[in-house]
Amino acid sequence: DAGVTQSPTHLIKTRGQQVTLRCSPKSGHDTVSWYQQALGQGPQFIFQYYEEEERQRGNFPDRFSGHQFPNYSSELNVNALLLGDSALYLCASRGVGSGNTIYFGEGSWLTVV
Amino acid sequence: GIQVEQSPPDLILQEGANSTLRCNFSDSVNNLQWFHQNPWGQLINLFYIPSGTKQNGRLSATTVATERYSLLYISSSQTTDSGVYFCAVEPIQGAQKLVFGQGTRLTINP
């Protein structure tokens, strides 16, 4: 049973560019959330997708957007990258069969230079 | 919004020692999970424990929901236990998202 998978693992972007991060949820999970973790901090909730719609959003600007596909996989897009967007981006999934337990992927390390 | 406080922020122990990590939260929750973040960044599920006590090998956890705290116990520590431990809660208001504490960085020396 594959867990939550994310790609790419590491990437370096230039300030002002755009980035897309991808996530495949754990098998059987239909709800995907994204979190940003800055160095030395706990993860911060960005948004959640269920049934291909954004259901909840944290305190992040509109430069952060997402999408969920019919197969439940998801993308996180960040436009007009700032140096402060450098962080570990974590995808999490939950769904029927795992109760309320939320599972995380290995994350995508984004460096903005 | 809900506040999650973890203590201590840093803990340095010798191999074989026992440790207790604490998580306090400011409001009622639907969900509480403990995670271990490895050096590569992955958050490993340790416990889903909104209330009660659970044990898994050398690790155990207790949540007293009425008093809004949870404890993670690590016995007979090993160097592989090193890393950052996070407590995360899912508030009843605005559910479906986890709110994390700042973590406890545990270092186990050989």
Side-chain angles (χ1 to χ4, degrees), chain A residues 25 29-30 51-53 67-74:
Chain A
H29 286 190
D30 57 6
E51 292 185 337
E52 302 180 48
E53 291 189 11
H67 189 77
Q68 186 178 34
F69 299 93
N71 66 353
Y72 308 126
S73 66
S74 177

Side-chain angles (χ1 to χ4, degrees), chain A residues 33-66:
Chain A
S33 300
W34 288 90
Y35 291 77
Q36 180 196 64
Q37 185 178 15
L39 202 60
Q41 304 292 318
Q44 299 286 320
F45 175 79
I46 302 175
F47 44 52
Q48 180 197 68
Y49 277 84
Y50 173 68
E51 292 185 337
E52 302 180 48
E53 291 189 11
E54 182 183 297
R55 300 292 178 169
Q56 273 204 84
R57 190 178 184 90
N59 189 25
F60 280 81
D62 291 345
R63 297 186 299 108
F64 290 77
S65 64

Side-chain angles (χ1 to χ4, degrees), chain B residues 52-101:
Chain B
T53 297
K54 290 186 178 180
Q55 181 158 6
N56 184 5
R58 296 182 296 103
L59 275 61
S60 64
T62 295
T63 298
V64 183
T66 54
E67 297 187 21
R68 297 179 184 167
Y69 74 89
S70 184
L71 301 173
L72 177 68
Y73 306 96
I74 305 173
S75 64
S76 305
S77 298
Q78 301 175 358
T79 55
T80 52
D81 294 330
S82 296
V84 182
Y85 289 80
F86 285 102
C87 165
V89 303
E90 184 176 4
I92 290 177
Q93 298 295 328
Q96 298 284 324
K97 69 176 184 183
L98 287 176
V99 178
F100 283 77

